[in-house]
Amino acid sequence: MGGKLEWLKAVFAGLVWFCAFAPLQCELAAWLTPAMLLWATAAEPRRAFCLGWIAGAAHFFSSLSWVLYIPVAGSNIVGWVMLSGYCAIYPAIWVAFCWLIFPGDRKEVGKAVSQMPFKVRLLWGGACAIGWVAQECLRGWVITGFPWNYLGGSQINYTQLAMLAQFTGVLGVSLVVAWGSVGALLVFWRWREKNRFTPSLLLEVVGPLLLLLVALGLGRSVLSQPLAQKRGSLKIALVQPAIPQTVLWNTGDQKSQEKRFGDMMDLSEAGIDEDVDLLVWPEASLPPLGILNPSNVVERFSDLEGLIREKKIWRVWGADTATNGVPYNSAVLIPPEDEFLRGLGEIEWSSYAKRHLVMFGEYVPLSGQLPFLRKLAPVGNFGRGGGPVVFDMGKAKTSVIICFEDVVPKLARRAVTEEVDFLLNLTNDGWFGDSHQQWQHARTAAWRAIENRRPLVRCCNNGITGWADEFGQFHGVTEDVYSKGTRVIEIPLRRGPRSPTFYQRYGDWLPWGSVIACILIGVMQVRGRWYDVKKDSESDANRAK
């Protein structure tokens, strides 16, 4: 019975973790999560790892259930199982690490904690919090990374705390939440052991509280600094065609592609009628023109570009390009006076090619050495872009990131130079139908606006089309996020050049510092030095008796 209860506790802890993110978005659940995981996995490290994997699986299988919406029967289930099972390894490693370095009897945790000196409890709680940051850092880096739903990412609505990300990135907020959670767990364990509450128990949260106060102080300092002076605004038409993924893939069906092309033209014309400065198409939205009626294509483009020239509207369009036979998932900047069809033969416009490709979606590992593996990528094997590109429209400058690149902090950080006015993300969340993926994606992406202190504009096939300001708050999301339409937004343009944030200057110093710290603690554990703390704890307890 005890074994079954352990597994149920692990599953329950994972489901609490799931509640922290869309579709439920209960921020309090994030503060409970590390404590719940440690409560459910108190055991020797090997067993803790197994229980931690169960808890992680309960979380990831539920929070990543949107993978099942991918319209590829069988493959979606395989992808869901593999991705969720893989991600569950990281919390499993974390709980194993925490219980490995626990300086006491894991079978009687409450008693062991009560006998520890305050210094030892503080060190263990801090080490657990650092370990949490390390495991999230590694999940966002190993095998190209999956930096999705970080614990701190759930706190974006708490603006003053979220501003810490300008110094540490979003994982700094994860550190605050994780240490606060472990500190509260220590209070609970000691309270249960004493069987009564005394104010002295609150000593356990002194360290986490000091860290929180520092975080809030830094956040307040950021909020007290005015943004750069406004020099104007940019009015943008964002086309959201809501093209089903099956239509995007079925490029041989002329009827569906004709409708796709017609919708893009109609939505673009609707945006132009709003007297905008910029017209944006989402990722991979351009249909295969070769299969369409040539006279209709020429006529529709001629009519559209006549209005574009008249109103001097720039365009950023998501389109597949090719160089030396290698396809790229790209975005192109088209000046108002240029004709798109004439420029297709040899593209000379500024263009950006996606750098962070999705494994098994846009490329297959080892496909160069084993060509038959290329068939496993549903949309083909794309080349990897060379680096960030600044699109200069005269009135404003932007840097484009495509698809999931807006959840990768280092890519956005490198794309935002001093001259860039805003980040522009073109994405296709149509892979995942009408699911909660769109909300998870948007809330994760909004941290890039905070970290870099620049607006983030998002143009989606379906999803959260609009813009996030420098404080991570969304604007312009007024319609059904899954519906077809043209969203017109207006973003402020500010005087520059602007100084980079601390995070832009120094990058992921905290995450990788946490990884190094955990390695050092692990080495100390192996060499027996970490357990010197345990011996000191036992000696102090004996002297107290």
Side-chain angles (χ1 to χ4, degrees):
M1 185 63 184
K4 291 181 180 179
L5 182 60
E6 283 183 328
W7 300 119
L8 288 174
K9 287 167 62 177
V11 170
F12 179 67
L15 293 178
V16 170
W17 188 4
F18 159 69
C19 294
F21 303 98
L24 299 179
Q25 292 178 190
C26 175
E27 288 89 349
L28 176 61
W31 292 83
L32 295 173
T33 292
M36 295 290 292
L37 290 175
L38 290 175
W39 164 76
T41 61
E44 54 86 20
R46 183 175 299 179
R47 183 158 184 80
F49 178 91
C50 296
L51 292 169
W53 187 89
I54 293 297
H59 165 65
F60 286 108
F61 273 99
S62 51
S63 65
L64 302 182
S65 58
W66 43 261
V67 176
L68 294 172
Y69 284 74
I70 297 176
V72 182
S75 296
N76 53 359
I77 297 175
V78 172
W80 176 55
V81 170
M82 291 182 64
L83 179 60
S84 301
Y86 164 73
C87 288
I89 293 172
Y90 291 91
I93 293 173
W94 178 70
V95 295
F97 168 79
C98 292
W99 289 116
L100 176 68
I101 64 171
F102 181 71
D105 187 352
R106 306 179 190 96
K107 295 180 180 179
E108 297 185 25
V109 176
K111 182 178 179 181
V113 167
S114 295
Q115 292 176 348
M116 291 178 198
F118 168 69
K119 178 185 70 174
V120 177
R121 298 194 300 269
L122 184 69
L123 284 173
W124 184 72
C128 290
I130 290 171
W132 185 279
V133 173
Q135 64 93 4
E136 287 196 328
C137 171
L138 292 174
R139 176 161 62 85
W141 176 74
V142 175
I143 319 178
T144 75
F146 188 64
W148 194 269
N149 283 356
Y150 285 153
L151 192 68
S154 63
Q155 307 299 301
I156 196 166
N157 289 335
Y158 298 126
T159 304
Q160 189 170 338
L161 175 59
M163 292 302 104
L164 177 64
Q166 290 196 12
F167 299 91
T168 63
V170 64
L171 289 183
V173 184
S174 290
L175 179 66
V176 174
V177 176
W179 200 2
S181 183
V182 177
L185 178 64
L186 289 170
V187 172
F188 169 75
W189 275 331
R190 293 191 65 210
W191 182 3
R192 187 179 62 178
E193 188 66 21
K194 286 177 176 287
N195 205 25
R196 62 189 175 90
F197 180 81
T198 59
S200 63
L201 295 177
L202 296 178
L203 195 63
E204 307 306 325
V205 295
V206 167
L209 184 59
L210 287 175
L211 179 62
L212 176 61
L213 290 175
V214 170
L216 293 176
L218 290 172
R220 184 173 182 179
S221 72
V222 169
L223 293 174
S224 66
Q225 298 172 8
L227 296 170
Q229 184 180 359
K230 187 177 176 180
R231 61 176 176 83
S233 62
L234 192 73
K235 197 171 183 181
I236 308 173
L238 305 169
V239 173
Q240 179 167 308
I243 306 166
Q245 192 63 32
T246 50
V247 172
L248 290 174
W249 288 339
N250 191 14
T251 55
D253 181 56
Q254 183 177 6
K255 184 178 180 180
S256 63
Q257 298 306 318
E258 290 279 6
K259 184 181 185 305
R260 172 183 171 186
F261 175 72
D263 286 346
M264 292 300 301
M265 293 293 109
D266 292 342
L267 294 171
S268 298
E269 289 172 357
I272 289 172
D273 288 342
E274 298 288 335
D275 294 324
V276 297
D277 302 300
L278 174 64
L279 173 67
V280 182
W281 284 5
E283 175 191 17
S285 53
L286 181 69
L289 300 180
I291 197 175
L292 307 181
N293 183 324
S295 59
N296 182 53
V297 170
V298 171
E299 181 181 351
R300 293 302 302 266
F301 266 113
S302 178
D303 292 344
L304 180 69
E305 292 182 325
L307 296 170
I308 286 173
R309 283 191 296 273
E310 178 185 336
K311 298 186 178 184
K312 297 181 172 58
I313 298 172
W314 287 81
R315 286 161 282 173
V316 174
W317 285 358
D320 293 344
T321 62
T323 301
N324 297 324
V326 178
Y328 292 92
N329 186 354
S330 302
V332 294
L333 174 67
I334 308 170
E337 64 276 7
D338 283 11
E339 296 181 19
F340 180 74
L341 293 178
R342 289 191 177 182
L344 272 180
E346 187 172 341
I347 293 179
E348 297 181 354
W349 304 307
S350 295
S351 65
Y352 166 78
K354 186 180 179 185
R355 293 170 284 163
H356 190 85
L357 302 179
V358 177
M359 189 185 305
F360 297 110
E362 294 168 317
Y363 84 101
V364 176
L366 302 177
S367 60
Q369 292 74 25
L370 303 171
F372 68 89
L373 292 176
R374 295 175 184 172
K375 297 179 181 179
L376 298 177
V379 295
N381 282 262
F382 286 93
R384 199 179 302 274
V389 177
V390 175
F391 284 1
D392 187 352
M393 296 170 280
K395 184 178 181 179
K397 295 180 180 179
T398 187
S399 192
V400 175
I401 45 182
I402 296 176
C403 191
F404 284 164
E405 288 185 329
D406 63 353
V407 306
V408 183
K410 66 180 180 180
L411 294 181
R413 179 169 58 85
R414 293 168 183 170
V416 179
T417 59
E418 293 182 358
E419 59 186 337
V420 168
D421 293 294
F422 64 97
L423 273 170
L424 177 59
N425 173 238
L426 312 183
T427 191
N428 171 28
D429 284 339
W431 286 69
F432 311 106
D434 298 351
S435 70
H436 54 282
Q437 183 273 351
Q438 287 82 348
W439 294 100
Q440 290 184 3
H441 189 178
R443 285 171 67 87
T444 303
W447 286 92
R448 310 293 83 78
I450 297 174
E451 291 165 347
N452 299 288
R453 204 171 170 82
R454 302 293 165 82
L456 169 69
V457 176
R458 303 184 78 241
C459 184
C460 310
N461 176 32
N462 91 343
I464 315 301
T465 291
W467 71 285
D469 61 25
E470 294 90 338
F471 309 108
Q473 302 305 302
F474 270 97
H475 306 269
V477 186
T478 57
E479 303 176 43
D480 178 4
V481 300
Y482 309 113
S483 67
K484 176 170 60 178
T486 303
R487 280 61 161 162
V488 177
I489 63 172
E490 191 165 0
I491 64 170
L493 298 177
R494 304 192 181 277
R495 296 191 182 279
R498 280 165 285 182
S499 299
T501 64
F502 187 92
Y503 176 72
Q504 280 181 283
R505 289 181 185 275
Y506 300 106
D508 294 316
W509 62 273
L510 175 65
W512 287 109
S514 298
V515 171
I516 292 170
C518 288
I519 292 173
L520 292 176
I521 292 172
V523 170
M524 291 171 62
Q525 172 65 42
V526 170
R527 299 182 66 178
R529 293 183 180 180
W530 183 263
Y531 264 82
D532 288 345
V533 175
K534 178 181 177 181
K535 293 173 183 176
D536 292 343
S537 171
E538 293 172 345
S539 299
D540 290 348
N542 291 331
R543 283 195 295 270
K545 293 178 181 178

